[in-house]
């Protein structure tokens, strides 16, 4: 949620900040703004409602120049999207601030600051922080001390960067609950909410930890922990591609990311498979010892990552013989749950910064879990740092808000985890060898699924005038149907619901008519005959079926039934393979509907607020 960039340099920083915002726009895109201190020590600020392109246009008419600056792309929490509510917010024309997160006690603070004479020009909680820090500056010797004093009064979450026109040699940043990373340059330094923003200017990063406050100058970076003690944070060399933020030959990031899946899966597997075994060390030094004791797995995640966890539940119980529960993080974190002995907590997250998942991990760490493991796509992210074990999914940067390659690489990682844990729970060597063989084949199988783009694009026409749809699957394909429905609703705005097909007759069948397309995921497996009966129930009521099946399923095209045939694959990897056509279907429906595929309305890529 919200993208932040900051820079202190000798050169003008406006272009660096703008490029950073473009790379962060996936985090929020309802308004954007920038402020710099010019060479007369004045604050200059430009803000615009809408996307970063609007700000770009405004800056070409009203360029900003200065070596110290901050910028922001917003996903509204307090106050509607508007220029007035866009960041940076200022206090008394001295301070400018950008913020990601939610300040929960903003109303009380607003009342106190109003009583002290501060005038509020926006509805945001961020402006409260601006005035609070300004007020603290009247009592403290410098910006750093003022920020430390102010954050001690805040309840809630913040990643924030503050600039004072009276001392433009530095920026002060603070992190609690929302990520911030320092980018190290030569004679210049940077801040951002995601390293991706800074790849054009540096590859060296320091991730701020919870409670850290940082004073950033051109030639010096000082970091203090929440007690005010000076600390050092490890410098990490990023291996992300400089071009990771480019669309390349593709019209949208989402399409690029869909087509990157054979390579992403190859990367996930690289160096982690033996001849017939998954290499347990890939999960961390202590993995062997921990996995040998695991008797129960609790998976926590949100959205698409939760769907990956749902698939893994089938795998854990069927393949590894291990009990597995899966829960949405926002539910888990607010209820008392029972923790069986020898339970492993597994969090799944593309970003590693999802507020609910992070809070659930922190809660679980106090609840008696034997150990925690995160499957995550962002090295150095909060979940990675705070978990006992971390397994990087290596999907590469995912920019499209709709998760695609992050999901399939999560599934691949989970299947490896199931094999690694199952080995200690009596799973036969041959079964593990079969999984390894199937995983090795996966990139080429995904490639052949991608070759179905054309018929899927044609199928998409049938959805363009529809308002509702159903997705059906059974067994481990039920969560794939859920993921397909999520993809369609988030980028095409067509209402889509997924059902385990056996549930149809318990209610949803009442919805069926010829305005309700029903998508079915139907590989040939032991549940196919049951699924065929469920499809007949739909057909008999005039429903329209759009079926993804394999040649062995013997499903015929016919009246009201359209079938797209995939290659036959081993059951264990079928959930991964059947994800691809559903991603393509939602993409092409969105194209026909003309929606904003990469930045669908009301959403943000990284959900760092509750
Ligand atoms: O970064 P995370 O995987 O923790 O994010 C969780 C969800 O917000 C995310 O999967 C979301 O549902 C997808 N972007 C939807 O495509």
């Amino acid at each position: 949620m919200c993208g932040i960039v900051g820079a202190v340099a000798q050169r003008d920083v406006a272009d660096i900040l703008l490029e950073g915002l473009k790379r962060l726009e996936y985090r929020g895109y309802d308004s954007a703004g920038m402020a710099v201190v010019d060479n007369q020590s004045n604050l200059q600020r430009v803000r615009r409602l809408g996307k970063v392109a609007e700000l770009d246009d405004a800056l070409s008419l009203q360029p900003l120049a200065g070596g110290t600056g901050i910028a922001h792309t917003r996903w509204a929490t307090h106050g509607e999207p508007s220029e007035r509510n866009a960041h940076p917010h200022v206090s008394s024309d001295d301070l400018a601030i950008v913020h990601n997160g939610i300040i929960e006690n903003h109303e009380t603070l607003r009342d106190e600051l109003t009583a002290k004479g501060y005038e509020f020009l926006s509805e945001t909680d961020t402006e409260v922080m601006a005035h609070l820090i300004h007020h603290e500056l009247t009592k403290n010797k410098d910006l750093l001390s003022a920020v430390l004093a102010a954050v001690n009064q805040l309840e809630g979450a913040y990643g924030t960067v503050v600039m004072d026109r009276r001392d433009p040699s530095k920026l002060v940043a603070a992190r609690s609950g929302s990520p911030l990373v320092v980018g190290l340059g030569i004679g210049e330094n940077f801040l951002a909410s995601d390293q991706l923003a800074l790849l054009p200017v540096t590859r060296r990063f320091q991730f701020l930890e919870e409670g850290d406050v940082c004073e950033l100058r051109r030639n010096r970076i000082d970091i203090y922990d929440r007690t005010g003690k000076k600390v050092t944070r490890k410098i990490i060399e990023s291996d992300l591609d400089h071009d990771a933020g480019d669309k390349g030959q593709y019209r949208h990031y989402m399409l690029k990311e869909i087509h990157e899946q054979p390579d992403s899966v190859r990367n996930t597997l690289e160096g982690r498979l033996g001849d017939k075994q998954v290499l347990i060390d890939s999960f961390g030094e202590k993995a062997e010892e921990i996995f040998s004791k695991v008797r129960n797995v609790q998976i926590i995640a949100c959205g698409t990552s939760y769907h990956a966890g749902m698939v893994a539940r089938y795998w854990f119980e069927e393949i590894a013989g291990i009990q597995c529960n899966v829960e949405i993080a926002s539910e888990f974190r607010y209820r008392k749950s029972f923790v069986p002995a020898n339970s492993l907590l597994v969090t799944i997250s593309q970003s590693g910064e999802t507020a609910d998942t992070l809070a659930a991990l922190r809660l679980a760490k106090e609840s008696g879990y034997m150990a925690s493991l995160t499957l995550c796509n962002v090295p150095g992210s909060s979940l990675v740092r705070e978990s006992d074990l971390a397994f990087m999914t290596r999907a590469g940067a995912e920019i499209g808000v709709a998760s695609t390659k992050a999901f399939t690489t999560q599934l691949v990682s989970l299947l490896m985890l199931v094999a690694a844990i199952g080995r200690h729970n009596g799973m036969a060597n041959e079964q593990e060898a079969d999984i390894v063989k199937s995983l090795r084949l996966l990139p080429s199988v995904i490639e052949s699924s991608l070759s179905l783009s054309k018929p899927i694009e044609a199928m998409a026409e049938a959805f363009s005038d529809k308002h509702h749809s159903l997705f059906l699957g059974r067994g481990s394909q039920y969560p794939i149907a859920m993921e397909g429905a999520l993809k369609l609703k988030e980028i095409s705005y067509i209402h889509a619901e997924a059902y385990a097909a056996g549930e149809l007759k318990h209610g949803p069948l009442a919805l069926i008519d010829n305005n309700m397309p029903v998508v079915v995921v139907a590989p040939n497996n032991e549940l196919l005959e049951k699924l065929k009966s469920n499809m007949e129930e739909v057909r008999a009521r005039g429903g329209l079926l759009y079926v993804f099946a394999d040649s062995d399923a013997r499903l015929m095209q016919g009246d009201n039934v359209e079938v797209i045939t995939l290659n036959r694959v081993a059951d264990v990897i079928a959930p991964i393979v059947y994800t691809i056509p559903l991603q393509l279907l939602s993409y092409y429906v969105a194209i026909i509907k003309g929606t904003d595929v990469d930045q669908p309305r009301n959403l943000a890529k990284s959900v760092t607020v509750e």
Side-chain angles (χ1 to χ4, degrees):
M1 320 246 104
C2 303
I4 289 177
V5 201
V8 193
Q10 196 162 24
R11 53 178 164 160
D12 282 340
V13 294
D15 286 348
I16 298 172
L17 299 178
L18 189 65
E19 174 61 22
L21 287 190
K22 287 179 182 164
R23 289 167 162 260
L24 287 185
E25 194 169 30
Y26 69 94
R27 293 181 73 99
Y29 33 83
D30 60 48
S31 53
M34 184 187 295
V36 300
V37 181
D38 68 14
N39 55 14
Q40 264 93 51
S41 290
N42 292 317
L43 266 185
Q44 301 291 351
R45 175 175 66 159
V46 176
R47 298 179 296 170
R48 283 295 178 273
L49 175 64
K51 297 200 165 195
V52 175
E54 305 291 332
L55 179 68
D56 194 355
D57 289 348
L59 286 168
S60 52
L61 298 173
Q62 188 190 338
L64 295 185
T68 302
I70 54 179
H72 188 268
T73 173
R74 180 169 186 248
W75 186 84
T77 56
H78 293 72
E80 57 170 14
S82 66
E83 193 167 312
R84 194 162 65 91
N85 287 331
H87 301 211
H89 289 282
V90 299
S91 182
S92 309
D93 286 332
D94 292 328
L95 289 189
I97 182 172
V98 287
H99 163 228
N100 174 20
I102 292 177
I103 303 305
E104 285 164 7
N105 57 338
H106 70 104
E107 281 174 349
T108 320
L109 291 169
R110 182 180 277 255
D111 291 346
E112 289 169 10
L113 289 158
T114 306
K116 288 183 175 114
Y118 284 98
E119 190 193 350
F120 283 85
L121 304 174
S122 78
E123 299 145 89
T124 65
D125 48 348
T126 306
E127 195 182 6
V128 171
M129 291 170 76
H131 293 323
L132 182 63
I133 296 167
H134 190 272
H135 177 64
E136 286 301 329
L137 255 175
T138 60
K139 302 191 278 173
N140 286 275
K141 64 179 188 324
D142 58 17
L143 186 60
L144 177 72
S145 328
V147 170
L148 274 165
V151 296
N152 280 332
Q153 298 167 56
L154 301 178
E155 288 163 23
Y158 52 84
T160 186
V161 185
V162 193
M163 176 171 79
D164 186 347
R165 71 167 183 88
R166 294 160 296 186
D167 182 2
S169 67
K170 66 185 173 210
L171 295 174
V172 175
R175 177 208 161 130
S176 181
S178 298
L180 273 182
V181 61
V182 175
L184 292 83
I186 299 170
E188 54 187 15
N189 287 309
F190 310 95
L191 281 156
S193 44
D194 185 330
Q195 52 180 310
L196 207 57
L198 302 176
L199 287 178
V201 284
T202 184
R203 310 191 69 79
R204 298 171 71 229
F205 296 102
Q206 283 176 302
F207 292 90
L208 295 188
E209 296 193 3
E210 283 300 278
D212 281 357
V213 177
C214 168
E215 191 176 54
L216 190 94
R217 298 170 190 271
R218 276 177 45 206
N219 291 306
R220 193 172 155 162
I221 297 162
D222 295 307
I223 303 176
Y224 303 86
D225 69 11
R226 62 173 82 242
T227 66
K229 194 176 105 211
K230 201 160 178 184
V231 286
T232 47
R233 298 289 175 229
K234 209 161 97 192
I235 297 175
I236 288 169
E237 196 86 27
S238 173
D239 57 3
L240 275 178
D241 246 1
H242 174 284
D243 293 340
D246 289 346
K247 283 196 269 254
Q249 53 163 321
Y250 294 96
R251 185 166 162 199
H252 293 100
Y253 286 112
M254 183 182 178
L255 190 61
K256 173 177 176 247
E257 288 157 8
I258 290 174
H259 282 271
E260 278 172 349
Q261 288 176 108
D263 281 339
S264 324
V265 168
R266 263 183 216 109
N267 288 339
T268 312
L269 298 174
E270 178 71 36
R272 288 162 162 181
L273 296 180
D275 223 14
K276 296 183 171 173
Q277 281 198 325
V278 169
L279 303 177
I280 292 198
D281 278 0
S282 327
F283 291 89
E285 269 174 37
K286 290 194 226 133
E288 177 94 54
E289 187 197 332
I290 293 171
F291 290 179
S292 67
K293 295 184 196 141
V294 172
R295 291 294 164 267
N296 179 278
V297 173
Q298 172 69 59
I299 298 178
I300 305 288
C302 304
T304 289
S305 301
Y306 167 72
H307 296 154
M310 295 265 297
V311 175
R313 181 163 72 97
Y314 289 90
W315 286 336
F316 268 116
E317 303 207 342
E318 269 172 42
I319 302 172
I322 292 268
Q323 190 192 1
C324 175
N325 300 310
V326 191
E327 193 162 347
I328 293 168
S330 54
E331 287 297 310
F332 178 86
R333 65 181 286 194
Y334 287 117
R335 74 178 184 89
K336 272 205 157 46
S337 56
F338 173 74
V339 185
N342 290 13
S343 290
L344 175 69
L345 182 92
V346 178
T347 57
I348 310 171
S349 174
Q350 188 286 126
S351 61
E353 301 292 352
T354 301
D356 286 321
T357 312
L358 197 51
L361 168 68
R362 289 177 185 156
L363 172 76
K365 283 170 94 171
E366 293 159 12
S367 319
Y369 284 91
M370 187 178 71
S372 58
L373 160 70
T374 190
L375 304 182
C376 185
N377 196 38
V378 179
S381 59
S382 301
L383 282 173
V384 170
R385 287 200 315 274
E386 295 188 29
S387 302
D388 301 317
L389 301 174
F391 185 88
M392 304 318 301
T393 48
R394 298 187 191 155
E398 191 182 67
I399 311 283
V401 164
S403 198
T404 52
K405 60 179 182 170
F407 179 65
T408 44
T409 55
Q410 285 168 349
L411 290 175
V412 169
S413 308
L414 284 160
L415 188 51
M416 284 194 270
L417 177 66
V418 168
I421 293 182
R423 190 188 308 159
H424 290 287
N425 203 45
M427 186 184 77
N429 291 343
E430 297 72 39
Q431 194 169 8
E432 184 168 2
D434 282 348
I435 291 175
V436 168
K437 194 168 149 203
S438 299
L439 283 171
R440 286 192 192 286
L441 290 173
L442 195 52
S444 59
V445 177
I446 294 178
E447 256 150 30
S448 60
S449 297
L450 288 169
S451 69
L452 296 169
S453 286
K454 280 277 163 249
I456 294 172
E457 191 176 352
M459 182 187 260
E461 294 286 347
F463 289 71
S464 59
D465 61 341
K466 300 292 187 289
H467 299 289
H468 307 277
S469 62
L470 288 181
F471 282 66
L472 304 180
R474 294 194 79 135
S476 58
Q477 297 289 359
Y478 166 45
I480 299 305
M482 293 170 80
E483 175 59 11
L486 176 63
K487 285 291 89 89
L488 187 69
K489 76 182 101 172
E490 74 176 319
I491 63 167
S492 75
Y493 315 148
I494 294 176
H495 172 220
E497 269 193 89
Y499 279 93
E503 269 295 289
L504 264 191
K505 55 190 172 295
H506 298 291
L509 209 49
L511 293 169
I512 300 296
D513 63 18
N514 60 9
N515 272 316
M516 173 72 87
V518 179
V519 178
V520 191
V521 194
N524 181 25
N525 59 25
E526 77 282 0
L527 289 170
L528 182 65
E529 291 311 315
K530 305 274 177 212
L531 189 59
K532 280 182 177 169
S533 310
N534 304 139
M535 288 194 271
E536 280 310 313
E537 290 160 10
V538 172
R539 220 153 77 96
R541 286 154 184 90
L544 310 172
L545 288 163
Y546 298 89
V547 187
F548 295 96
D550 60 42
S551 44
D552 291 1
R554 294 181 206 290
L555 282 161
M556 296 301 167
Q557 194 96 354
D559 288 350
N560 294 353
V561 187
E562 200 170 319
V563 182
I564 288 190
T565 307
L566 283 77
N567 288 341
R568 175 89 187 111
V569 296
D571 286 353
V572 71
I573 56 164
I576 309 173
V577 176
Y578 280 74
T579 299
I580 313 296
L582 299 186
Q583 294 170 344
L584 288 166
L585 179 65
S586 55
Y587 176 77
Y588 288 116
V589 174
I591 291 294
I592 296 166
K593 293 204 69 185
T595 55
D596 190 340
V597 172
D598 284 329
Q599 294 171 345
R601 67 186 182 199
N602 305 340
L603 299 179
K605 180 74 180 163
S606 187
V607 187
T608 54
V609 295
E610 205 183 326

